Amino acid sequence: MKPRKQQPRDEERPGLRPAARPSFTCPRCTRTSHHPMDLRYGWCGHCNDYTGAPTP
Protein backbone atom coordinates (compact mmCIF):
# COMPACT_ATOMS: atom_id res chain seq x y z
CA MET A 1 0.00 0.00 0.00
CA LYS A 2 1.33 3.41 -0.97
CA PRO A 3 1.59 6.04 1.75
CA ARG A 4 -0.83 8.91 1.32
CA LYS A 5 0.58 12.17 0.10
CA GLN A 6 0.42 14.65 2.93
CA GLN A 7 -1.71 17.73 2.29
CA PRO A 8 0.02 21.10 2.72
CA ARG A 9 -0.87 23.08 5.83
CA ASP A 10 -3.08 26.15 5.44
CA GLU A 11 -0.05 28.44 5.71
CA GLU A 12 1.49 26.73 2.69
CA ARG A 13 -1.60 26.84 0.47
CA PRO A 14 -1.98 29.66 -2.02
CA GLY A 15 -5.11 31.80 -1.95
CA LEU A 16 -7.11 33.32 0.84
CA ARG A 17 -5.88 33.02 4.38
CA PRO A 18 -8.42 32.05 7.07
CA ALA A 19 -8.42 35.59 8.46
CA ALA A 20 -9.07 37.04 5.00
CA ARG A 21 -12.08 34.82 4.24
CA PRO A 22 -15.49 36.42 4.70
CA SER A 23 -17.12 35.18 7.88
CA PHE A 24 -20.34 35.39 9.85
CA THR A 25 -20.29 35.74 13.63
CA CYS A 26 -23.53 34.88 15.38
CA PRO A 27 -24.73 37.73 17.60
CA ARG A 28 -26.38 35.23 19.97
CA CYS A 29 -23.60 32.69 20.67
CA THR A 30 -20.59 34.56 19.13
CA ARG A 31 -19.42 31.53 17.12
CA THR A 32 -17.92 32.23 13.71
CA SER A 33 -18.64 30.44 10.44
CA HIS A 34 -16.71 30.84 7.20
CA HIS A 35 -19.27 29.03 5.06
CA PRO A 36 -20.52 31.37 2.29
CA MET A 37 -24.17 30.31 2.68
CA ASP A 38 -24.11 30.99 6.43
CA LEU A 39 -22.87 34.49 5.66
CA ARG A 40 -25.43 34.99 2.92
CA TYR A 41 -28.46 33.91 4.96
CA GLY A 42 -27.30 34.71 8.51
CA TRP A 43 -27.52 31.05 9.56
CA CYS A 44 -25.90 29.84 12.77
CA GLY A 45 -25.33 26.09 12.83
CA HIS A 46 -24.77 26.10 16.58
CA CYS A 47 -28.01 27.93 17.40
CA ASN A 48 -29.78 26.15 14.51
CA ASP A 49 -31.49 29.41 13.63
CA TYR A 50 -31.26 32.43 11.34
CA THR A 51 -29.71 34.91 13.75
CA GLY A 52 -28.19 37.45 11.39
CA ALA A 53 -29.48 39.78 8.73
CA PRO A 54 -29.27 38.25 5.24
CA THR A 55 -26.73 39.86 2.93
CA PRO A 56 -27.47 40.45 -0.75
Side-chain angles (χ1 to χ4, degrees), residues 4-56:
R4 295 174 94 187
K5 186 177 179 183
Q6 197 172 28
Q7 292 289 328
R9 296 188 315 220
D10 284 340
E11 306 88 56
E12 298 167 351
R13 291 183 184 164
L16 293 176
R17 300 284 179 239
R21 280 187 276 165
S23 63
F24 166 73
T25 301
C26 175
R28 193 180 301 163
C29 70
T30 67
R31 294 197 181 198
T32 301
S33 170
H34 296 280
H35 193 282
M37 290 297 132
D38 292 348
L39 175 65
R40 182 172 182 183
Y41 295 109
W43 175 258
C44 176
H46 181 257
C47 295
N48 239 6
D49 199 6
Y50 294 98
T51 59
T55 57

